[in-house]
């Protein structure tokens, strides 16, 4: 797959390439490698024919959603067809590593001056729709408490930094990392956070950013009528 996509041999690109992936998911698997220029990288390789597999899965989900609405009227309040449509949009974006590269570049620009988070470099000349080569982050997973303590990291500060990072994404940039599970968040020995995997990113309009801010204020002020109004404005609840 790498050689077909990049039109050259693996040996012409990498001095070292680990055949065994260190991570594998439904869409791609990820390998450690070293470029011939010496930089340590990770290589995301999309699974062959995954587009067809996902198209079939989405068709099955759509059929199930239709059956749910038809035979379980109570399910309509959860809008199962809308959920499938939203999932289809998201997973389709994840199949395009060029789009993920653009997301990574935007995050890297947004946090260029940050002292609390690091966004890895993407080697854009080694990116196609199905292959992505990115700078390797050396750190411990954010849920590895023992390793974090062994580094002497101040965990309350780390938690606050994580919150500050997301507050900047949501309230300043209107562009946020939408897949923040432990496999995508690392802690450096100096206490900085590192983010990985930018296939899922969310965008917020100024109106949505204001609504989310008002939601926080209503929650902290225990103004629950206002909170419900904001939930309706955000589309989390219907008027009824």
């Amino acid at each position: 797959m790498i050689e077909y996509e990049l039109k050259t041999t693996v040996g012409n690109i990498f001095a070292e390439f680990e055949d065994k992936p260190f991570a594998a998911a439904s869409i791609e698997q990820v390998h450690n490698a070293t470029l011939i220029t010496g930089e340590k990288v990770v290589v995301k390789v999309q699974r062959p024919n995954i587009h067809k597999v996902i198209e079939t899965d989405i068709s099955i989900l759509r059929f199930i959603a239709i059956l749910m609405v038809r035979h379980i009227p109570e399910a309509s309040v959860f809008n199962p067809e809308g959920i499938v449509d939203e999932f289809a949009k998201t997973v389709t974006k994840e199949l395009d590593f060029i789009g993920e590269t653009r997301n990574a570049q935007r995050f890297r620009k947004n946090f260029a001056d940050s002292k609390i988070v690091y966004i890895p470099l993407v080697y854009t000349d080694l990116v196609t729709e199905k292959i992505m080569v990115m700078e390797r982050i050396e750190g411990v997973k954010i849920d590895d408490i023992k390793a974090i303590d062994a580094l002497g990291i101040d965990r309350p500060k780390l938690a606050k930094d994580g919150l500050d990072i997301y507050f900047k994404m949501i309230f300043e940039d209107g562009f946020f990392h939408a897949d923040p599970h432990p496999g995508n968040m690392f802690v450096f020995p100096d206490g900085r956070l590192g983010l990985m995997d930018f296939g899922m990113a969310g965008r917020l309009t100024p109106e949505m950013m204001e609504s989310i801010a008002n939601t926080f204020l209503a929650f902290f002020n225990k103004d629950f009528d206002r909170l419900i109004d904001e939930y309706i404005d955000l589309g989390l609840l219907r008027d009824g």
Side-chain angles (χ1 to χ4, degrees), residues 138-142 144-155 158 186-192:
E138 304 283 357
V140 299
K141 286 187 178 181
I142 199 166
D144 191 343
I145 304 301
K146 287 183 179 179
I148 290 171
D149 285 342
L151 290 172
I153 303 294
D154 181 343
R155 281 196 274 132
L158 184 66
F186 295 85
V187 182
F188 292 117
D190 62 5
R192 286 180 303 161

Side-chain angles (χ1 to χ4, degrees), residues 30 36 38 44 62 74 85 99 107 137 141 166 210 213 239-240:
V30 190
I36 54 173
K44 294 179 71 168
R62 283 207 169 100
E74 299 85 356
D85 287 342
F107 282 120
I137 285 181
K141 286 187 178 181
Y166 263 85
E210 185 174 355
D239 288 350

Side-chain angles (χ1 to χ4, degrees), residues 108 114 116-121 135 137 188 192-195:
R108 189 171 167 86
S114 176
I116 60 174
V117 67
Y118 183 76
I119 309 297
L121 172 71
E135 177 185 1
I137 285 181
F188 292 117
R192 286 180 303 161
L193 276 163
L195 294 181

Side-chain angles (χ1 to χ4, degrees), residues 170-174 203-214:
I170 292 167
F171 297 119
E172 291 183 23
D173 303 331
R203 291 163 178 79
L204 298 168
T205 63
E207 293 77 18
M208 290 174 72
M209 292 162 70
E210 185 174 355
S211 257
I212 293 169
N214 289 335

